[in-house]
Amino acid sequence: MNIKRAKQEIRDSIEAYLAKDEFGEYRIPAIRQRPILLMGPPGIGKTQVMEQIARECGIALVSYTITHHTRQSAVGLPFIVKKNYGEEEFSVTEYTMSEIISSVYDKMEKTGLKEGILFIDEINCVSETLAPMMLQFLQGKTFGNQKVPEGWVIVTAGNPPEYNKSVREFDVVTLDRIKKIDVEADFDVWKEYAYQQGIHPAVISYLELRRKNFYRVENTVDGKIFATARGWEDLSRLIQVYEILGKTVDREVVSQYIQHRMIAKDFASYLALYYKYRTDYKVEDILKGKWDSITLGKIRTASLDEHLSIVSLLNGKLSELFTECYLTDAYLTKLYDYMVYFREAQDRLTAKNLMEKAEADLEKDKKSELLTKQQERIQKRVVSFFEDASGLESASESTGSDKTGSGSESAGGRSAAAESEVLSSNRNYEFVKALFESETEAYENRTDEISFTLQNVFDFMEAAFGDSQEMVAFITELNANYYSLWFIRENGSDQYYRHNKGLLFDDRQKMILGQMEEVENILNNGIM
């Protein structure tokens, strides 16, 4: 199965293992909770999937690559104790606590989470001295004398023999005690992930054109040559940073990540053309609705690969804008929650209090290790908003302070000083509310700009290609991108709906929109 289906299978298993009855007992007792073995080629995202599942299930994660361990660190060090059996005293070997089991307890104490996943990677590549301990671990869920704590699900991962010479085969007795899931590389599934993670559009478009180069491992006289999903993602991050720094990604740089000479050379050539087309066709002008007959004529005489590269360039820029809009929307939604809290207690709170609360919430969530990087950045924006508001609030108060005497009484019997303090607090809330409304207005204006940009791209696509395979490719990529569909669902696009229906994408769109509800809950967990 692909990694997306495997993730769902693992998540379903974990939810079943952690389900409790009315007496608080696990419905599936620990002895029947089979360790999960995720078997698949390297670099397809097995470790990342475990991180995602832990966050989505709200449980802890302890992750180890077992090949980094010796028998002593995995099992514990032996020591001698004296024990009496009958009337005789004997010397008995016991073991200190395993480093791995100790890490589980440390994680429970650090995060406050009592349930979690113990993930052991490269389980079938251990040394000869450690192999018997791994079999004991899978069969009895123990390292040395210590059991894995109740409420912790064991998930392991390994590579098939064709990818690793160090692989050891499990015997039937062991295989009969685990839940084995075989997984394989799947570009379509990875592409959904790639859009959500902001993978460079040149990487996505290249692999769309040359799918066979997404994942390849081959044996040659010079050793293994390969291209993996992990390699493409890491290369993408480097390309994005190199663009900021004004550096060039050439064939030699690509080959450091894509260790397959032919593929590295091919992608480096494609990337150079990608940059060339971006300049030649003035993509930034197209986004603004500016193009002429010369540009259209040049496009019509170009090759299909060139057409698809242009489509990819436009989709890539739109994706950046849609993602920006999504993150701002999530930030304002989070900020709104704090403003509601502020409104309910405005007589005793200031912007500084809200800043301190947002900081405390951030630290609490970070400690639990359930925050994604995206969620962390959003919370930091909230902290920054109240920090800025606090500074402006203080400056405003210092220039317009109330000079009312502290000894006078109001008509209701409250001192003038107390009355002034309440009025000041109310003014503080109104002041911060005005800043929030300003941010909201700016977001709405930006959303309108991005809607016009989408319209400009559709106008250009219609003028250049009409209802051709290029338009099919454009709509297909919009439908594959979570952020594109989110933006269109929230803000509409008559041209998208017209072409989507005309090109018979209705069924696929309904399926994707149905999936989006679940994905949005996952992405927004802790945000909304």
Side-chain angles (χ1 to χ4, degrees), residues 133-145:
M133 302 302 106
M134 288 301 99
L135 296 180
Q136 177 195 3
F137 168 64
L138 290 173
Q139 294 176 14
K141 302 178 183 176
T142 61
F143 277 116
N145 295 340

Side-chain angles (χ1 to χ4, degrees), residues 4-105:
K4 183 177 181 180
R5 172 67 188 279
K7 175 185 173 182
Q8 188 60 49
E9 289 290 329
I10 296 170
R11 182 174 174 178
D12 289 345
S13 297
I14 289 172
E15 289 177 351
Y17 287 171
L18 298 182
K20 295 181 179 179
D21 61 21
E22 62 273 23
F23 302 107
E25 300 291 334
Y26 290 107
R27 293 186 178 276
I28 301 177
I31 194 172
R32 297 298 175 204
Q33 293 181 9
R34 290 192 172 197
I36 298 167
L37 173 59
L38 186 61
M39 188 68 72
I44 63 170
K46 296 189 289 291
T47 303
Q48 286 181 327
V49 159
M50 299 318 305
E51 293 172 354
Q52 293 168 13
I53 292 172
R55 283 195 298 266
E56 292 164 18
C57 294
I59 58 179
L61 173 68
V62 171
S63 179
Y64 273 98
T65 300
I66 200 63
T67 51
H68 298 167
H69 281 267
T70 64
R71 186 181 186 281
Q72 287 75 23
S73 63
V75 178
L77 292 171
F79 64 94
I80 306 298
V81 297
K82 299 292 184 179
K83 290 191 175 183
N84 292 317
Y85 296 105
E87 297 179 355
E88 294 187 55
E89 184 178 71
F90 295 88
S91 296
V92 180
T93 301
E94 290 195 0
Y95 291 88
T96 59
M97 179 172 281
S98 158
E99 178 186 322
I100 296 173
I101 298 295
S102 174
S103 295
V104 171
Y105 284 106

